[in-house]
């Protein structure tokens, strides 16, 4: 039989949490997000033609900007889309918000036929008018 002294002696539970591994994981995730965030924010590189034109009074929230790059690829909100998918998205947006302005950003080296083809697609999607975006002339 054991003496009474040994029965009352129990190992105390440790009530502390070691947070060092959690901090390490958090710092690794922070570094990953810091590296990937700028990569996600990049847009489509387009070299716009220069023209002397007055800016149009529209709000960015009320405007759809469709881009045609030099290869003839279409982009909506910097996402590449096929012609049919683009027409569906534009038609859906114009059905919900009929006063939405539609603008085309055509690369300077884009095939003129591709820009005209895009404008015809937009007209078929229900756009009442289409604007062309340009850059202001560079000051010397």
């Amino acid at each position: 039989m054991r003496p009474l002294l040994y029965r009352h002696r129990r190992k105390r539970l440790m009530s502390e949490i070691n947070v060092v591994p959690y901090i390490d994981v958090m710092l690794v995730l922070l570094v990953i997000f810091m590296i990937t965030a700028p990569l996600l924010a990049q847009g489509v590189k387009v070299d716009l033609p220069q023209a002397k034109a007055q800016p149009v009074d529209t709000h960015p929230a009320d405007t759809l900007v469709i881009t045609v790059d030099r290869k003839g690829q279409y982009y909506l909100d910097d996402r590449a889309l096929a012609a049919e998918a683009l027409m569906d998205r534009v038609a859906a947006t114009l059905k919900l918000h009929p006063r939405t302005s539609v603008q085309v950003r055509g690369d300077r080296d884009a095939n003129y036929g591709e820009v005209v083809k895009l404008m015809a697609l937009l007209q078929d999607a229900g756009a009442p008018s289409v604007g062309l975006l340009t850059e202001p002339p560079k000051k010397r």
Side-chain angles (χ1 to χ4, degrees):
M1 233 183 169
R2 294 184 165 176
L4 291 175
L5 293 175
Y6 291 112
R7 278 191 200 171
H8 296 290
R9 218 190 255 177
R10 289 187 175 175
K11 195 173 187 180
R12 284 190 123 174
L13 294 176
M14 191 170 105
S15 62
E16 297 175 6
I17 297 175
N18 188 2
V19 295
V20 173
Y22 299 116
I23 293 172
D24 291 342
V25 170
M26 183 195 64
L27 290 175
V28 168
L29 289 174
L30 179 67
V31 169
I32 290 171
F33 286 125
M34 287 174 54
I35 291 171
T36 57
L39 298 175
L40 298 176
Q42 291 181 352
V44 180
K45 174 83 170 119
V46 176
D47 188 19
L48 291 175
Q50 295 179 0
K52 291 182 182 179
Q54 296 299 319
V56 179
D57 293 331
T58 59
H59 300 288
D62 301 339
T63 305
L64 279 176
V65 178
I66 295 98
T67 304
V68 180
D69 67 2
R70 65 182 65 211
K71 297 175 186 172
Q73 177 67 45
Y74 303 133
Y75 295 87
L76 176 63
D77 296 329
D78 297 332
R79 291 187 184 143
L81 290 174
E84 297 80 23
L86 177 68
M87 279 184 60
D88 293 342
R89 298 275 301 274
V90 170
T93 302
L94 290 173
K95 188 174 182 179
L96 289 174
H97 307 286
R99 302 191 74 151
T100 301
S101 169
V102 180
Q103 305 288 326
V104 174
R105 289 176 58 207
D107 192 285
R108 177 181 304 178
D109 297 327
N111 185 347
Y112 181 72
E114 289 297 325
V115 175
V116 171
K117 182 176 154 186
L118 172 63
M119 292 174 75
L121 289 173
L122 293 172
Q123 188 177 19
D124 291 343
S129 65
V130 177
L132 296 174
L133 296 176
T134 60
E135 280 185 354
K138 295 179 183 174
K139 296 183 179 182
R140 295 180 187 182

